[in-house]
């Protein structure tokens, strides 16, 4: 794989963040618009992206292959969870910043940047592999991920609730039900069912979801740019912990995945390559939008998303060349 095509693709995606930054500074993309765009992406376009990735796939692997890839994809999150906890401990992070860092390690940009980059690196046959890796991402990102980002706030709110007004159990039940019944979660579950049964639905519906899903990548990147515009320019580059985080995210994580899954994926170079490249993606753009929605540390999330996205313009093409 040549360095230049992947480098160009990463540069294009990064430029959209810059456009979002400029649009926010020019008062075109204000806080209210950013919040509304985040809701549209999370609740409409992102579920459509998830569904269209499977519904428009031309060659579905066998059920046994799908289950093996799904097993690999889910198992990577066990490794990432341990690495996320280790990262927050090493960087001595607390509260909302700790939640943002742990989210960032666990949830790389599998969807927004994952699809165009893996397509550029591995070709069309990688699309279904990437969609399978999106399944555990969406099942966990919109449950465990939200809990990571908002857990600190939930604890504080629960301290302030009088026992006579509402029980802790009732609060917990309501929060869990909100996490489970999200459009993205429902879409991810439907993808698992479609992948195993082979039923992809009517073409007109798949095309409709594909059109709506086209909003996701540029919209999410514009939101990141707008979030960055709300902090002083120098703050994007002056947080030392954000750089240390980026080092772990874009270098340590993919190397760790390579050595762990090399013996497991013997004979399937595409699966090994997908596992490594997907783990090398920058922090998921969903993180910034979820911070807006659930009162997470939006500032730190935007910083680590910006720095890791900038770094992967170089690191992912280098990984592609090595693979």
């Amino acid at each position: 794989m040549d360095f230049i095509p992947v480098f160009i693709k990463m540069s294009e995606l990064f430029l959209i963040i810059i456009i979002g930054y400029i649009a926010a500074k020019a008062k075109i993309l204000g806080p209210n618009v950013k919040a509304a765009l985040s809701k549209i992406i999370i609740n409409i376009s992102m579920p459509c992206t998830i569904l269209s990735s499977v519904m428009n796939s031309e060659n579905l692997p066998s059920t046994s292959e799908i289950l093996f890839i799904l097993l690999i994809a889910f198992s990577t999150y066990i490794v990432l969870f341990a690495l996320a906890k280790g990262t927050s401990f090493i960087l001595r992070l607390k509260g909302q910043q700790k939640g943002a860092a742990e989210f960032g390690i666990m949830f790389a940009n599998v969807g927004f940047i994952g699809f165009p980059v893996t397509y550029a690196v591995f070709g069309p046959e990688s699309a279904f592999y990437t969609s399978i890796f999106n399944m555990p991402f969406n099942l966990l990102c919109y449950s465990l991920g939200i809990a990571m980002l908002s857990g600190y706030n939930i604890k504080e709110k629960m301290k302030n609730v009088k026992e006579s007004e509402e029980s802790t159990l009732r609060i917990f039940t309501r929060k869990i039900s909100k996490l489970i019944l999200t459009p993205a979660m429902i879409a991810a579950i439907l993808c698992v069912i479609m992948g195993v049964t082979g039923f992809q639905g009517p073409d007109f519906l798949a095309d409709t979801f594909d059109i709506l899903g086209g909003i996701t990548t540029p919209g999410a990147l514009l939101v990141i740019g707008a979030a960055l515009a709300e902090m002083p320019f120098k703050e994007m580059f002056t947080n030392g912990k954000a750089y240390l985080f980026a080092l772990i995210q874009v270098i340590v994580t993919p190397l760790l995945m390579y050595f762990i899954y090399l013996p497991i994926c013997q004979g399937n170079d595409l699966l090994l390559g997908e596992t490594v490249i997907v783990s090398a993606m920058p922090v998921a753009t969903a993180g910034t939008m979820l911070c807006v929605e659930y009162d997470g540390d939006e500032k730190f999330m935007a910083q680590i998303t910006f720095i890791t996205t900038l770094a992967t313009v170089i690191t992912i093409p280098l990984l592609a060349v090595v693979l």
Side-chain angles (χ1 to χ4, degrees):
M1 171 56 61
D2 293 334
F3 177 90
I4 298 300
V6 186
F7 174 77
I8 291 173
K9 176 59 65 177
M10 294 302 300
S11 299
E12 290 169 352
L13 298 174
F14 186 75
L15 281 174
I16 300 176
I17 296 178
I18 302 301
I19 293 170
Y21 179 90
I22 295 170
K25 287 295 185 183
K27 309 300 182 183
I28 298 172
L29 190 56
N32 292 337
V33 177
K34 182 188 72 175
L37 183 57
S38 295
K39 286 181 180 293
I40 290 170
I41 293 168
I42 290 172
N43 295 304
I44 299 176
S45 72
M46 192 183 300
C48 289
T49 299
I50 297 165
L51 289 168
S52 68
S53 68
V54 173
M55 294 177 74
N56 287 300
S57 179
E58 294 182 1
N59 298 306
L60 293 174
S62 66
T63 300
S64 60
E65 287 179 286
I66 292 172
L67 292 176
F68 180 68
I69 299 167
L70 195 58
L71 178 63
I72 293 294
F74 268 105
S75 71
T76 61
Y77 283 89
I78 298 174
V79 178
L80 291 170
F81 183 77
L83 185 59
K85 291 296 180 182
T87 300
S88 64
F89 176 78
I90 291 170
L91 299 182
R92 298 181 180 181
L93 302 174
K94 297 184 182 298
Q96 291 170 296
Q97 198 171 76
K98 174 183 176 183
E102 291 181 357
F103 180 98
I105 291 291
M106 279 203 69
F107 301 106
N109 204 326
V110 182
F112 299 156
I113 297 179
F115 277 103
V117 170
T118 54
Y119 188 95
V121 176
F122 301 113
E125 63 180 314
S126 68
F128 186 74
Y129 279 72
T130 308
S131 69
I132 292 179
F133 272 86
N134 263 281
M135 293 178 188
F137 173 92
N138 288 293
L139 288 169
L140 295 171
C141 179
Y142 300 98
S143 53
L144 176 61
I146 293 174
M148 285 177 167
L149 295 176
S150 62
Y152 175 81
N153 290 321
I154 291 173
K155 290 178 183 178
E156 289 299 309
K157 290 175 183 177
M158 290 172 76
K159 288 179 184 178
N160 297 326
V161 174
K162 295 178 181 179
E163 291 184 4
S164 60
E165 294 178 354
E166 192 167 20
S167 69
T168 300
L169 179 60
R170 187 176 175 185
I171 296 172
F172 178 78
T173 303
R174 190 175 70 247
K175 292 290 183 182
I176 292 299
S177 65
K178 281 187 68 177
L179 297 181
I180 293 173
L181 300 176
T182 61
M185 282 284 286
I186 294 169
I189 293 168
L190 289 174
C191 278
V192 174
I193 295 171
M194 286 189 290
V196 172
T197 62
F199 177 74
Q200 296 172 277
D203 290 341
F204 81 91
L205 197 57
D207 292 341
T208 301
F209 288 153
D210 186 52
I211 293 169
L212 278 171
I215 303 170
T216 303
T217 297
L221 295 171
L222 287 172
V223 168
I224 293 174
L228 290 168
E230 293 177 2
M231 68 178 74
F233 185 77
K234 66 177 183 180
E235 287 190 16
M236 291 188 225
F237 303 97
T238 56
N239 190 334
K241 289 185 178 180
Y243 284 99
L244 291 174
F245 172 91
L247 180 67
I248 296 171
Q249 171 71 13
V250 303
I251 296 177
V252 174
T253 301
L255 288 177
L256 183 65
M257 290 296 182
Y258 177 80
F259 288 111
I260 289 176
Y261 287 95
L262 179 61
I264 299 173
C265 297
Q266 279 187 344
N268 193 334
D269 293 337
L270 178 56
L271 180 56
L272 176 61
E274 280 275 341
T275 304
V276 175
I277 290 293
V278 163
S279 70
M281 295 293 163
V283 174
T285 49
T288 302
M289 291 178 293
L290 290 173
C291 281
V292 174
E293 186 77 10
Y294 294 96
D295 299 320
D297 191 335
E298 182 184 343
K299 177 180 174 180
F300 185 68
M301 183 65 76
Q303 287 175 329
I304 60 178
T305 303
F306 177 84
I307 293 173
T308 55
T309 303
L310 178 59
T312 51
V313 171
I314 300 297
T315 58
I316 286 180
L318 287 175
L319 275 172
V321 171
V322 171
L323 289 173

